[in-house]
Coordinates of all heavy atoms in Angstrom, one line a residue:
M1 N 93.1 121.0 81.7 CA 92.3 120.8 82.9 C 93.1 120.3 84.0 O 93.9 119.3 83.9 CB 91.2 119.6 82.5 CG 90.3 119.3 83.5 SD 89.2 118.0 82.9 CE 87.9 118.2 84.1
E2 N 93.0 120.9 85.1 CA 93.8 120.6 86.3 C 93.2 119.5 87.1 O 92.0 119.4 87.3 CB 93.9 121.9 87.2 CG 94.9 121.8 88.2 CD 95.1 123.1 89.0 OE1 95.0 124.2 88.3 OE2 95.2 123.0 90.2
Q3 N 94.1 118.5 87.4 CA 93.6 117.3 88.2 C 93.7 117.6 89.7 O 94.7 118.1 90.2 CB 94.5 116.1 87.8 CG 93.9 114.9 88.3 CD 94.7 113.7 87.8 OE1 95.9 113.7 87.5 NE2 94.0 112.5 87.7
R4 N 92.6 117.3 90.4 CA 92.6 117.6 91.8 C 93.4 116.5 92.6 O 93.3 115.3 92.3 CB 91.1 117.6 92.3 CG 91.0 117.9 93.7 CD 89.5 117.9 94.1 NE 89.0 116.6 94.3 CZ 89.2 115.9 95.4 NH1 89.9 116.3 96.4 NH2 88.6 114.7 95.5
V5 N 94.2 116.9 93.5 CA 95.0 116.0 94.4 C 94.1 115.5 95.5 O 93.4 116.3 96.1 CB 96.2 116.7 94.9 CG1 97.0 115.8 95.8 CG2 97.1 117.2 93.8
K6 N 94.2 114.2 95.8 CA 93.4 113.6 96.9 C 93.9 114.2 98.2 O 95.1 114.4 98.4 CB 93.6 112.1 96.9 CG 92.8 111.4 95.8 CD 92.9 109.9 96.0 CE 92.2 109.1 95.0 NZ 92.3 107.6 95.2
T7 N 93.0 114.3 99.1 CA 93.4 114.6 100.5 C 93.8 113.3 101.2 O 93.4 112.2 100.7 CB 92.3 115.3 101.3 OG1 91.2 114.3 101.5 CG2 91.8 116.5 100.6
F8 N 94.5 113.4 102.3 CA 94.9 112.1 103.0 C 93.7 111.2 103.3 O 93.8 110.0 103.1 CB 95.6 112.5 104.3 CG 96.0 111.4 105.1 CD1 97.2 110.6 104.7 CD2 95.4 111.0 106.2 CE1 97.6 109.5 105.4 CE2 95.8 109.9 107.0 CZ 96.9 109.2 106.6
N9 N 92.6 111.8 103.7 CA 91.4 111.0 104.1 C 90.7 110.3 102.9 O 89.9 109.4 103.1 CB 90.5 111.8 104.9 CG 91.0 112.0 106.3 OD1 91.7 111.2 106.9 ND2 90.6 113.2 106.9
E10 N 91.1 110.7 101.7 CA 90.4 110.2 100.5 C 91.2 109.0 100.0 O 90.7 108.2 99.2 CB 90.4 111.2 99.4 CG 89.4 112.3 99.7 CD 89.4 113.4 98.7 OE1 90.5 113.8 98.2 OE2 88.3 113.8 98.3
Y11 N 92.4 108.7 100.5 CA 93.2 107.6 100.0 C 92.6 106.3 100.5 O 92.1 106.2 101.7 CB 94.6 107.6 100.5 CG 95.4 108.6 99.6 CD1 95.7 109.8 100.1 CD2 95.9 108.2 98.4 CE1 96.5 110.7 99.3 CE2 96.6 109.1 97.6 CZ 96.9 110.3 98.1 OH 97.7 111.2 97.3
T12 N 92.5 105.2 99.7 CA 92.1 103.9 100.1 C 93.0 103.3 101.1 O 94.2 103.4 101.0 CB 92.0 103.0 98.8 OG1 91.1 103.6 97.9 CG2 91.4 101.6 99.2
R13 N 92.5 102.6 102.1 CA 93.2 101.9 103.1 C 93.1 100.4 102.8 O 92.1 99.9 102.6 CB 92.7 102.1 104.5 CG 93.2 103.3 105.1 CD 92.3 104.5 104.9 NE 92.7 105.6 105.9 CZ 92.9 106.8 105.5 NH1 92.7 107.1 104.3 NH2 93.2 107.7 106.4
Y14 N 94.3 99.8 102.7 CA 94.4 98.3 102.3 C 94.9 97.5 103.5 O 95.7 98.0 104.2 CB 95.4 98.2 101.1 CG 95.0 98.9 99.9 CD1 95.5 100.1 99.6 CD2 94.1 98.3 99.0 CE1 95.2 100.8 98.4 CE2 93.8 99.0 97.8 CZ 94.3 100.2 97.5 OH 94.0 100.9 96.4
I15 N 94.4 96.3 103.6 CA 94.9 95.3 104.5 C 95.2 94.0 103.8 O 94.5 93.7 102.8 CB 94.0 95.1 105.7 CG1 92.7 94.5 105.3 CG2 93.9 96.4 106.6 CD1 91.9 94.0 106.5
R16 N 96.1 93.3 104.4 CA 96.5 91.9 104.0 C 96.7 91.1 105.3 O 97.6 91.4 106.0 CB 97.7 91.9 103.2 CG 98.1 90.4 102.8 CD 99.5 90.5 102.1 NE 99.9 89.2 101.6 CZ 101.0 88.9 101.0 NH1 101.8 89.9 100.6 NH2 101.3 87.7 100.7
V17 N 95.7 90.2 105.6 CA 95.8 89.4 106.8 C 96.8 88.3 106.6 O 96.8 87.6 105.6 CB 94.5 88.9 107.2 CG1 94.6 88.0 108.4 CG2 93.4 90.1 107.5
R18 N 97.7 88.2 107.6 CA 98.8 87.1 107.5 C 98.6 86.1 108.5 O 99.2 85.0 108.4 CB 100.2 87.8 107.6 CG 100.5 88.8 106.4 CD 101.9 89.2 106.5 NE 102.3 90.0 105.3 CZ 102.8 89.4 104.3 NH1 103.1 88.2 104.2 NH2 103.2 90.2 103.2
S19 N 97.8 86.3 109.5 CA 97.6 85.3 110.5 C 96.5 84.3 110.1 O 95.8 84.5 109.2 CB 97.3 86.0 111.9 OG 96.1 86.8 111.7
E20 N 96.4 83.2 110.9 CA 95.3 82.3 110.7 C 94.0 82.6 111.4 O 94.1 83.4 112.4 CB 95.8 80.9 111.2 CG 97.0 80.3 110.5 CD 96.8 80.1 109.0 OE1 95.7 79.7 108.6 OE2 97.7 80.3 108.2
P21 N 92.9 82.2 110.8 CA 91.6 82.7 111.4 C 91.4 82.3 112.9 O 90.8 83.0 113.7 CB 90.6 81.9 110.6 CG 91.3 81.6 109.3 CD 92.7 81.4 109.6
E22 N 92.1 81.2 113.4 CA 91.9 80.8 114.8 C 92.9 81.5 115.7 O 92.8 81.3 117.0 CB 92.0 79.2 114.9 CG 93.4 78.7 114.6 CD 93.6 78.5 113.1 OE1 92.7 78.7 112.2 OE2 94.8 78.1 112.8
D23 N 93.8 82.2 115.2 CA 94.9 82.9 116.0 C 94.2 83.9 117.0 O 93.2 84.6 116.5 CB 95.9 83.5 115.2 CG 96.8 82.5 114.5 OD1 96.8 81.4 114.8 OD2 97.5 83.0 113.6
K24 N 94.8 84.1 118.2 CA 94.2 85.1 119.1 C 94.4 86.5 118.6 O 93.6 87.3 118.8 CB 94.9 84.8 120.5 CG 94.4 85.7 121.5 CD 95.1 85.4 122.9 CE 94.6 86.4 124.0 NZ 95.2 86.0 125.2
F25 N 95.5 86.7 118.0 CA 95.8 88.1 117.5 C 95.8 88.1 115.9 O 96.2 87.0 115.4 CB 97.2 88.5 118.0 CG 97.3 88.8 119.4 CD1 97.6 87.8 120.3 CD2 96.8 90.0 119.9 CE1 97.7 88.0 121.7 CE2 96.9 90.2 121.3 CZ 97.3 89.2 122.2
V26 N 95.5 89.2 115.3 CA 95.5 89.3 113.9 C 96.8 90.0 113.5 O 97.0 91.1 113.9 CB 94.2 90.1 113.4 CG1 94.2 90.2 111.9 CG2 93.0 89.4 113.9
E27 N 97.6 89.3 112.7 CA 98.8 90.0 112.1 C 98.4 90.4 110.7 O 97.8 89.6 109.9 CB 99.9 89.0 112.0 CG 100.4 88.4 113.4 CD 101.4 87.4 113.3 OE1 102.2 87.5 112.3 OE2 101.4 86.5 114.1
F28 N 98.7 91.6 110.4 CA 98.2 92.1 109.1 C 99.2 93.3 108.6 O 99.9 93.9 109.4 CB 96.8 92.6 109.1 CG 96.5 93.7 110.0 CD1 96.3 95.0 109.5 CD2 96.4 93.6 111.4 CE1 96.0 96.1 110.3 CE2 96.1 94.7 112.2 CZ 95.9 95.9 111.7
D29 N 99.1 93.5 107.2 CA 99.8 94.6 106.7 C 98.8 95.7 106.4 O 97.6 95.4 106.1 CB 100.4 94.2 105.3 CG 101.4 93.1 105.4 OD1 102.0 92.9 106.5 OD2 101.7 92.4 104.4
F30 N 99.1 96.9 106.6 CA 98.2 98.1 106.5 C 98.9 99.1 105.6 O 100.0 99.5 105.8 CB 97.8 98.6 107.8 CG 97.0 99.9 107.8 CD1 95.7 99.7 107.3 CD2 97.4 101.1 108.2 CE1 94.9 100.9 107.2 CE2 96.6 102.2 108.1 CZ 95.3 102.1 107.7
A31 N 98.2 99.5 104.5 CA 98.7 100.5 103.7 C 97.7 101.6 103.3 O 96.4 101.3 103.3 CB 99.1 99.9 102.3
I32 N 98.2 102.8 103.2 CA 97.2 103.9 102.8 C 97.7 104.4 101.4 O 98.7 104.9 101.3 CB 97.3 105.1 103.8 CG1 96.9 104.6 105.2 CG2 96.5 106.2 103.4 CD1 97.1 105.6 106.3
G33 N 96.7 104.3 100.5 CA 97.0 104.8 99.1 C 97.8 103.9 98.2 O 97.5 103.8 97.1
Y34 N 98.8 103.3 98.7 CA 99.7 102.5 97.9 C 99.9 101.2 98.6 O 100.7 101.1 99.5 CB 101.1 103.2 97.7 CG 100.9 104.6 97.1 CD1 100.8 105.7 97.9 CD2 100.9 104.8 95.8 CE1 100.6 107.0 97.4 CE2 100.7 106.0 95.2 CZ 100.6 107.1 96.0 OH 100.4 108.4 95.5
P35 N 99.4 100.1 98.1 CA 99.4 98.8 98.8 C 100.8 98.3 99.0 O 101.1 97.5 99.9 CB 98.7 97.9 97.8 CG 97.9 98.7 96.9 CD 98.6 100.0 96.9
E36 N 101.8 98.7 98.1 CA 103.2 98.2 98.2 C 103.9 98.9 99.4 O 105.0 98.5 99.7 CB 103.9 98.3 96.9 CG 104.1 99.8 96.5 CD 103.0 100.4 95.7 OE1 101.9 99.9 95.7 OE2 103.1 101.5 95.2
L37 N 103.4 99.9 99.9 CA 104.0 100.7 101.0 C 103.2 100.4 102.3 O 102.2 101.1 102.6 CB 104.1 102.2 100.7 CG 104.9 102.6 99.5 CD1 104.8 104.1 99.3 CD2 106.4 102.2 99.7
F38 N 103.5 99.4 103.0 CA 102.7 99.0 104.2 C 103.5 98.9 105.4 O 104.8 98.8 105.4 CB 102.0 97.7 103.9 CG 103.0 96.6 103.5 CD1 103.5 95.8 104.6 CD2 103.4 96.2 102.3 CE1 104.4 94.8 104.4 CE2 104.3 95.2 102.0 CZ 104.7 94.5 103.0
V39 N 102.8 98.9 106.5 CA 103.4 98.6 107.8 C 102.8 97.3 108.4 O 101.7 96.9 108.0 CB 103.1 99.7 108.9 CG1 103.8 101.0 108.5 CG2 101.7 100.0 109.1
E40 N 103.5 96.6 109.1 CA 103.0 95.3 109.7 C 102.5 95.6 111.1 O 103.2 96.3 111.9 CB 104.2 94.3 109.8 CG 104.7 93.9 108.5 CD 106.0 93.0 108.5 OE1 106.4 92.7 109.7 OE2 106.5 92.6 107.5
L41 N 101.3 95.2 111.3 CA 100.6 95.5 112.6 C 100.0 94.2 113.2 O 99.8 93.2 112.5 CB 99.4 96.5 112.4 CG 99.8 97.9 111.9 CD1 98.6 98.7 111.6 CD2 100.7 98.6 112.8
V42 N 99.8 94.2 114.5 CA 99.2 93.1 115.2 C 98.2 93.7 116.2 O 98.5 94.6 117.0 CB 100.3 92.3 116.1 CG1 99.6 91.2 116.8 CG2 101.4 91.8 115.2
L43 N 97.0 93.1 116.2 CA 95.9 93.6 117.1 C 95.1 92.4 117.6 O 95.0 91.4 116.9 CB 94.9 94.5 116.4 CG 95.4 95.9 116.0 CD1 94.4 96.7 115.1 CD2 95.7 96.7 117.3
P44 N 94.5 92.5 118.8 CA 93.5 91.5 119.2 C 92.4 91.5 118.2 O 92.0 92.5 117.6 CB 93.1 92.0 120.6 CG 94.1 92.9 121.0 CD 94.7 93.5 119.8
R45 N 91.7 90.4 118.1 CA 90.6 90.2 117.1 C 89.5 91.4 117.2 O 89.2 91.9 116.1 CB 89.9 88.9 117.2 CG 90.8 87.8 116.8 CD 90.0 86.8 115.9 NE 91.1 86.0 115.3 CZ 91.5 86.2 114.0 NH1 91.0 87.1 113.3 NH2 92.4 85.4 113.5
D46 N 89.1 91.7 118.4 CA 88.0 92.7 118.5 C 88.6 94.1 118.1 O 87.9 94.9 117.4 CB 87.5 92.8 120.0 CG 86.7 91.6 120.3 OD1 86.3 90.8 119.4 OD2 86.5 91.3 121.5
A47 N 89.8 94.4 118.4 CA 90.4 95.7 118.0 C 90.6 95.7 116.5 O 90.4 96.8 115.9 CB 91.7 95.9 118.8
F48 N 90.9 94.6 115.9 CA 91.2 94.5 114.5 C 89.8 94.8 113.8 O 89.8 95.6 112.8 CB 91.6 93.1 114.1 CG 91.8 92.9 112.6 CD1 92.7 93.6 111.8 CD2 90.9 92.1 112.0 CE1 92.8 93.4 110.5 CE2 90.9 91.9 110.6 CZ 91.9 92.5 109.8
K49 N 88.7 94.3 114.3 CA 87.4 94.5 113.6 C 87.1 96.0 113.7 O 86.7 96.6 112.7 CB 86.4 93.7 114.3 CG 85.0 93.9 113.7 CD 84.0 93.1 114.5 CE 82.6 93.3 113.8 NZ 81.5 92.6 114.6
V50 N 87.3 96.7 114.8 CA 87.0 98.1 115.0 C 88.0 98.9 114.1 O 87.6 99.9 113.4 CB 87.2 98.5 116.5 CG1 87.2 100.1 116.6 CG2 86.2 97.9 117.3
F51 N 89.3 98.5 114.0 CA 90.3 99.2 113.2 C 89.8 99.2 111.7 O 89.8 100.2 111.0 CB 91.6 98.5 113.3 CG 92.7 99.0 112.4 CD1 93.5 100.0 112.9 CD2 92.9 98.5 111.2 CE1 94.5 100.5 112.1 CE2 94.0 99.0 110.3 CZ 94.7 100.0 110.8
C52 N 89.4 98.0 111.2 CA 88.9 97.8 109.8 C 87.7 98.7 109.6 O 87.6 99.4 108.5 CB 88.6 96.4 109.5 SG 90.1 95.4 109.4
E53 N 86.7 98.7 110.5 CA 85.5 99.5 110.3 C 85.9 101.0 110.3 O 85.3 101.7 109.4 CB 84.5 99.2 111.4 CG 83.9 97.8 111.3 CD 83.1 97.4 112.5 OE1 82.9 98.2 113.5 OE2 82.5 96.3 112.5
H54 N 86.7 101.4 111.2 CA 87.1 102.8 111.3 C 87.8 103.3 110.0 O 87.6 104.4 109.6 CB 87.9 103.0 112.5 CG 88.4 104.4 112.7 ND1 87.6 105.5 113.2 CD2 89.7 105.0 112.5 CE1 88.3 106.6 113.2 NE2 89.6 106.3 112.8
N55 N 88.6 102.4 109.5 CA 89.4 102.8 108.3 C 88.8 102.5 107.0 O 89.4 102.7 106.0 CB 90.8 102.2 108.4 CG 91.7 102.9 109.4 OD1 92.1 104.0 109.2 ND2 91.9 102.3 110.6
N56 N 87.6 101.8 107.0 CA 86.9 101.4 105.8 C 87.9 100.7 104.9 O 88.0 101.1 103.7 CB 86.3 102.7 105.2 CG 85.3 102.3 104.1 OD1 84.7 101.2 104.1 ND2 85.1 103.1 103.1
V57 N 88.5 99.7 105.4 CA 89.6 99.0 104.6 C 89.1 98.2 103.5 O 88.0 97.8 103.4 CB 90.4 98.1 105.6 CG1 91.1 98.9 106.7 CG2 89.6 97.0 106.1
V58 N 90.0 98.0 102.5 CA 89.8 97.1 101.4 C 90.8 96.0 101.5 O 92.1 96.3 101.7 CB 90.1 97.9 100.1 CG1 90.0 97.0 98.9 CG2 89.0 99.0 99.9
H59 N 90.4 94.7 101.4 CA 91.3 93.6 101.4 C 92.1 93.6 100.1 O 91.5 93.7 99.1 CB 90.6 92.3 101.7 CG 90.1 92.1 103.1 ND1 90.8 91.4 104.1 CD2 89.0 92.6 103.7 CE1 90.1 91.5 105.1 NE2 89.0 92.2 105.0
M60 N 93.4 93.4 100.2 CA 94.2 93.3 99.0 C 93.7 92.0 98.3 O 93.5 91.0 98.9 CB 95.6 93.2 99.3 CG 96.3 94.5 99.9 SD 98.0 94.2 100.1 CE 98.3 95.6 101.3
D61 N 93.6 92.1 96.9 CA 93.2 90.9 96.2 C 94.4 90.1 95.8 O 95.6 90.6 96.0 CB 92.4 91.3 95.0 CG 93.1 92.2 94.0 OD1 94.3 92.1 93.8 OD2 92.4 93.0 93.2
S62 N 94.2 89.0 95.2 CA 95.3 88.0 94.9 C 96.3 88.7 93.9 O 97.5 88.4 94.0 CB 94.8 86.7 94.4 OG 94.0 86.9 93.3
D63 N 95.9 89.5 93.0 CA 96.8 90.1 92.1 C 97.7 91.1 92.7 O 98.9 91.2 92.5 CB 96.0 90.8 90.9 CG 95.4 89.8 89.9 OD1 96.0 88.7 89.8 OD2 94.5 90.2 89.2
M64 N 97.1 92.0 93.7 CA 97.9 92.9 94.4 C 98.9 92.2 95.2 O 100.1 92.6 95.3 CB 97.0 93.7 95.4 CG 96.2 94.8 94.8 SD 95.3 95.5 96.2 CE 94.7 97.0 95.4
I65 N 98.5 91.1 95.9 CA 99.4 90.3 96.8 C 100.6 89.7 96.0 O 101.7 89.8 96.4 CB 98.6 89.3 97.5 CG1 97.7 89.9 98.6 CG2 99.6 88.3 98.2 CD1 96.7 89.0 99.2
R66 N 100.2 89.2 94.8 CA 101.3 88.6 94.0 C 102.3 89.6 93.6 O 103.5 89.4 93.6 CB 100.6 87.9 92.7 CG 101.6 87.2 91.8 CD 101.0 86.7 90.6 NE 100.1 87.6 89.9 CZ 100.5 88.6 89.2 NH1 101.7 89.0 89.1 NH2 99.5 89.4 88.6
Q67 N 101.8 90.8 93.1 CA 102.7 91.8 92.6 C 103.6 92.3 93.8 O 104.8 92.6 93.6 CB 101.9 93.0 92.0 CG 101.3 92.7 90.7 CD 100.4 93.8 90.2 OE1 100.1 94.8 90.9 NE2 99.9 93.7 89.0
I68 N 103.0 92.5 94.9 CA 103.8 93.0 96.1 C 104.9 91.9 96.5 O 106.0 92.2 96.7 CB 102.8 93.3 97.3 CG1 102.1 94.5 97.0 CG2 103.7 93.4 98.6 CD1 100.9 94.7 97.9
D69 N 104.5 90.7 96.5 CA 105.4 89.6 96.9 C 106.5 89.5 95.8 O 107.7 89.3 96.2 CB 104.7 88.2 96.9 CG 103.8 88.1 98.2 OD1 104.0 89.0 99.1 OD2 103.0 87.2 98.3
E70 N 106.2 89.6 94.6 CA 107.2 89.6 93.5 C 108.2 90.8 93.6 O 109.4 90.6 93.5 CB 106.6 89.6 92.1 CG 106.0 88.3 91.7 CD 105.3 88.3 90.4 OE1 105.2 89.4 89.7 OE2 104.7 87.3 90.0
D71 N 107.7 91.9 94.0 CA 108.5 93.1 94.1 C 109.4 92.9 95.3 O 110.6 93.3 95.3 CB 107.6 94.3 94.3 CG 108.5 95.6 94.1 OD1 109.2 95.7 93.1 OD2 108.4 96.5 95.0
M72 N 108.9 92.3 96.4 CA 109.7 92.1 97.6 C 110.9 91.1 97.3 O 112.1 91.3 97.7 CB 108.9 91.5 98.7 CG 108.0 92.6 99.3 SD 106.8 92.0 100.6 CE 108.0 91.5 101.9
V73 N 110.6 90.1 96.5 CA 111.6 89.1 96.1 C 112.7 89.9 95.2 O 113.9 89.7 95.4 CB 111.0 87.9 95.3 CG1 112.1 87.1 94.7 CG2 110.2 87.1 96.3
K74 N 112.2 90.7 94.3 CA 113.2 91.5 93.5 C 114.1 92.3 94.3 O 115.3 92.3 94.1 CB 112.4 92.4 92.6 CG 113.3 93.3 91.6 CD 112.5 94.1 90.7 CE 112.3 95.5 91.4 NZ 111.6 96.5 90.6
W75 N 113.6 93.0 95.4 CA 114.5 93.8 96.2 C 115.4 93.0 97.0 O 116.5 93.4 97.3 CB 113.7 94.7 97.1 CG 113.1 95.9 96.3 CD1 111.8 96.1 95.8 CD2 113.8 97.0 95.8 NE1 111.7 97.2 95.1 CE2 113.0 97.8 95.1 CE3 115.2 97.4 95.9 CZ2 113.3 99.0 94.5 CZ3 115.6 98.6 95.3 CH2 114.7 99.3 94.6
R76 N 115.0 91.8 97.4 CA 115.9 90.9 98.2 C 116.9 90.2 97.4 O 118.0 90.0 97.9 CB 115.0 89.9 99.0 CG 114.3 90.5 100.1 CD 113.6 89.4 101.0 NE 112.8 90.1 102.0 CZ 111.6 89.6 102.4 NH1 111.1 88.5 101.9 NH2 110.9 90.3 103.3
F77 N 116.5 89.8 96.2 CA 117.4 88.9 95.5 C 117.8 89.4 94.1 O 118.6 88.8 93.4 CB 116.7 87.5 95.3 CG 116.3 86.9 96.6 CD1 115.0 86.9 97.0 CD2 117.3 86.2 97.4 CE1 114.7 86.2 98.3 CE2 117.0 85.6 98.6 CZ 115.7 85.6 99.0
G78 N 117.3 90.5 93.7 CA 117.8 91.2 92.5 C 117.0 90.9 91.2 O 117.1 91.6 90.2
E79 N 116.1 89.9 91.2 CA 115.3 89.7 90.0 C 113.9 89.5 90.4 O 113.5 88.8 91.4 CB 115.7 88.4 89.3 CG 117.1 88.5 88.7 CD 117.4 87.3 87.9 OE1 116.5 86.8 87.1 OE2 118.5 86.8 88.0
K80 N 113.0 90.1 89.7 CA 111.5 90.1 90.0 C 111.0 88.6 90.0 O 111.1 87.9 88.9 CB 110.7 90.9 89.0 CG 109.3 91.1 89.4 CD 108.6 92.1 88.5 CE 107.2 92.2 89.0 NZ 106.5 93.2 88.1
G81 N 110.5 88.1 91.1 CA 109.9 86.8 91.2 C 110.8 85.6 91.2 O 110.4 84.5 91.1
H82 N 112.1 85.9 91.3 CA 113.1 84.8 91.3 C 114.0 84.9 92.6 O 114.6 85.9 92.8 CB 114.0 84.8 90.1 CG 113.2 84.5 88.8 ND1 112.4 85.5 88.2 CD2 113.1 83.4 88.1 CE1 111.9 84.9 87.2 NE2 112.3 83.7 87.0
R83 N 114.2 83.8 93.2 CA 115.1 83.8 94.3 C 116.4 83.3 93.9 O 116.6 82.5 93.1 CB 114.5 82.8 95.4 CG 113.3 83.4 96.1 CD 112.8 82.5 97.1 NE 111.6 83.1 97.6 CZ 111.3 83.2 98.9 NH1 112.1 82.7 99.8 NH2 110.3 83.8 99.3

């Protein structure tokens, strides 16, 4: 049985907000399909809301965030989760 490949528009869009709720601008990570491959973006609050609605984003959960952070440490310091 042949497995169908997703089209670009079918991939899940993920965000991870890094700014504080009272900040004027929203700093966030944005990923398409693979949460560990993200870009860092900054938008005014109103634009961020539109961006999220337009992209039908999913907020990264705590397990995703932990795994990504551990992987980042591994690449920086050589061991997963250890500095």
